[in-house]
Amino acid sequence: MKLEDLKLTTEEQVMFFDTDCGGVVHNMAYLRMIETCRTRVAGLMGMGLATMAETALFPVVVRTEIDYKSPARLGDVLEIHGHVSEIGKVKFWCEFTVEKKGESRPLIKCRQALALVQMPAGKPQRLPEEWGG
């Protein structure tokens, strides 16, 4: 598995429920958008939703680092660019940039560490060797 193959872009339009009382996107809404992108990146790694449901093996966020640089507003169309940046033995890192569509200035930069957890026991697992970690 090559890291350069583990990237994609998703698109979201800012809806009423994404905004706070100041009329800008709420910080938690960005994390929901990032989670959508991250879930689709997991599919590129062979961990689609159906596979996760069958195996009860899930990528679980263990750390999030996020920088809010500039706000998005109601109606904006956002692009969420995500990629796997590092694969180790027990965790891997994904990075995300959120931009307004058609602009290259980042609104958000985010980095997340994930581990594979076998449910229902909640037991962390080593990452598959074919992931290259």
Side-chain angles (χ1 to χ4, degrees):
M1 185 174 304
K2 297 178 184 176
L3 288 180
E4 57 268 13
D5 295 332
L6 301 175
K7 64 180 177 180
L8 59 78
T9 298
T10 57
E11 203 172 275
E12 301 268 350
Q13 183 172 23
V14 176
M15 306 301 266
F16 285 110
F17 57 80
D18 293 321
T19 60
D20 62 16
C21 63
V24 299
V25 174
H26 188 275
N27 62 320
M28 293 304 292
Y30 289 115
L31 291 174
R32 178 189 55 79
M33 295 174 195
I34 287 166
E35 182 161 348
T36 298
C37 186
R38 189 185 66 245
T39 299
R40 292 184 176 146
V41 169
L44 297 175
M45 301 172 81
M47 298 200 65
L49 294 171
T51 300
M52 286 187 259
E54 289 171 15
T55 63
L57 184 64
F58 300 96
V60 175
V61 175
V62 296
R63 180 173 178 79
T64 296
E65 302 166 3
I66 191 164
D67 294 313
Y68 300 95
K69 298 185 171 289
S70 186
R73 301 187 184 282
L74 182 65
D76 286 347
V77 176
L78 305 179
E79 292 180 334
I80 300 86
H81 306 282
H83 69 277
V84 176
S85 59
E86 181 182 335
I87 298 176
K89 295 198 181 302
V90 293
K91 68 181 172 182
F92 62 100
W93 287 87
C94 293
E95 295 183 20
F96 305 90
T97 303
V98 178
E99 301 171 348
K100 285 185 188 177
K101 186 173 183 172
E103 297 183 12
S104 59
R105 181 178 51 102
L107 304 176
I108 302 293
K109 287 188 166 260
C110 178
R111 185 171 187 248
Q112 294 182 322
L114 295 98
L116 290 182
V117 176
Q118 186 69 60
M119 296 305 283
K123 183 175 178 177
Q125 304 291 306
R126 291 183 68 85
L127 299 182
E129 286 185 25
E130 60 268 20
W131 286 12

